[in-house]
Amino acid sequence: MIEVLLYILMGLNFLCFIRVLYGPTMADRMVAIDIFGILVVGICALLVIKTGRLFLIDVAIAWIILSFIGTIALAKYLTRKKLDE
């Protein structure tokens, strides 16, 4: 069952990658990158369940924090404001 979910998440990651490559706007590409990060966290969670390797939780937490910071930076860039405003 976990293998099927992993394949589904990997397929969705591939679709997000296509959206990143061909997204018509910068915002579309950033949303696709955000979704990609969320799916990677899901893959890490499933791999923790399957393999029992707990370091993948740290990888997932680091990934989602970096994704959050990237989203904030892009939002500031799209509104033409500096990061400290």
Side-chain angles (χ1 to χ4, degrees), residues 22-78:
Y22 300 111
T25 64
M26 181 93 133
D28 291 334
R29 291 180 174 153
M30 193 61 206
V31 169
I33 290 171
D34 273 345
I35 295 170
F36 184 84
I38 292 168
L39 293 172
V40 167
V41 170
I43 289 172
C44 287
L46 289 175
L47 287 175
V48 168
I49 293 170
K50 182 173 172 62
T51 64
R53 297 179 185 221
L54 296 178
F55 74 95
L56 290 172
I57 293 175
D58 296 335
V59 171
I61 291 171
W63 191 291
I64 206 70
I65 289 172
L66 289 175
S67 177
F68 177 71
I69 292 170
T71 301
I72 290 174
L74 180 74
K76 289 288 188 177
Y77 173 76
L78 290 177

Side-chain angles (χ1 to χ4, degrees), residues 3 14 20:
E3 291 85 10
F14 179 73
V20 169

